[in-house]
Amino acid sequence: MTDTGDKGRHHGATQLRHCSARLSRYGRGHFLSAMFMTPYWLLPTVVLVLGYLLGSIPFGLLLTRVTGAGDLRQIGSGNIGATNVLRTGRKGLAAATLLLDLLKGAAAVLIGAAIVDGGGPMAGAMAFIGHCYPVWLRFAGGKGVATMMGVVTALYWPAGIVFALVWLGLLFGTRWSSVGGMSAGISAPIAMWAFDRVDLVPVSLAMALILLWRHRQNIARLTRGEEPKVGKSKTAMPE
């Protein structure tokens, strides 16, 4: 019985070593694909779809509806982000929206990384796109600042700290929400490069460019000197 038990344990340990070697050699995604006999493209596709669906959850719209604050799309700028939620006068809802939008970006990165090698940036980028262009709202989503901060922080937390400092510093310094958000977005690829995370520069740069495009109306108002500042008005205040 002892010899049989020892042989069984030895066989189990050998199999475990083989599995670990395969996982190390081929990567998590390829190993899982081989293990479950799935096409090599299936797991990356799942990561992309999950990231988009997670990012497309309109927390601001859901929270304002559930709490009876009205349809966020009919308030202020009609945007679904935290800044527009603040215009309802419900600071708690605005804070919750900000936190949830941030967390969904971070969660997408972590889930993607757990499913397939290199899945973190893929899922994070798709979560950002999902927030900006949610299919449920006919692709009319938010500006993406909070979600981008969540993605950047989950990818490389020092860059996330830079993002937050730039965002909050310019928000409180200028009282322009758009200036803080755009500057924070631009800081992400610069911070990735400065911290020698060149592998994350392309995805952070792509998100920054989309974020700037989403703020194109704000940029036009800033050049005309018509961009309102945070706290000036609670109604009909565009973003």
Side-chain angles (χ1 to χ4, degrees):
M1 290 292 290
T2 302
D3 291 341
T4 303
D6 290 341
K7 289 180 179 179
R9 285 191 294 272
H10 177 72
H11 178 72
T14 301
Q15 290 294 98
L16 182 60
R17 285 195 296 272
H18 287 332
C19 288
S20 299
R22 290 177 183 176
L23 182 59
S24 175
R25 181 179 178 183
Y26 298 108
R28 187 182 299 107
H30 288 107
F31 176 70
L32 292 176
S33 294
M35 182 177 178
F36 295 105
M37 301 298 290
T38 59
Y40 72 92
W41 50 264
L42 182 59
L43 289 177
T45 302
V46 169
V47 166
L48 294 173
V49 173
L50 283 178
Y52 177 84
L53 292 177
L54 184 58
S56 68
I57 301 174
F59 284 115
L61 181 62
L62 295 176
L63 288 175
T64 51
R65 280 188 172 181
V66 169
T67 57
D71 188 340
L72 194 57
R73 293 170 295 180
Q74 305 301 320
I75 299 172
S77 66
N79 192 271
I80 64 171
T83 301
N84 203 39
V85 175
L86 186 60
R87 295 183 181 117
T88 66
R90 309 281 288 272
K91 294 182 180 180
L93 285 183
T97 300
L98 175 66
L99 180 61
L100 289 171
D101 283 346
L102 188 154
L103 288 176
K104 71 183 180 183
V109 171
L110 298 177
I111 293 171
I115 293 176
V116 64
D117 289 336
M122 293 165 53
M126 288 304 294
F128 175 77
I129 292 173
H131 176 81
C132 295
Y133 303 101
V135 64
W136 328 110
L137 303 180
R138 299 182 180 180
F139 304 103
K143 302 293 177 69
V145 179
T147 302
M148 182 175 177
M149 186 169 83
V151 172
V152 170
T153 302
L155 287 175
Y156 190 64
W157 66 265
I161 291 178
V162 172
F163 190 108
L165 291 176
V166 172
W167 183 12
L168 294 175
L170 287 175
L171 171 61
F172 290 110
T174 67
R175 305 294 294 177
W176 279 315
S177 175
S178 58
V179 170
M182 288 188 290
S183 300
I186 294 171
S187 76
I190 297 174
M192 293 296 188
W193 177 82
F195 287 125
D196 201 27
R197 289 304 308 267
V198 181
D199 56 313
L200 297 176
V201 169
V203 66
S204 56
L205 178 59
M207 288 189 293
L209 292 175
I210 294 174
L211 187 146
L212 290 175
W213 173 253
R214 297 291 294 169
H215 282 83
R216 62 191 182 278
Q217 294 180 353
N218 304 85
I219 295 173
R221 286 194 294 271
L222 284 166
T223 59
R224 297 194 303 265
E226 299 173 357
E227 180 77 342
K229 295 189 176 184
V230 174
K232 288 290 185 182
S233 174
K234 290 184 180 180
T235 59
M237 187 170 78
E239 267 187 318

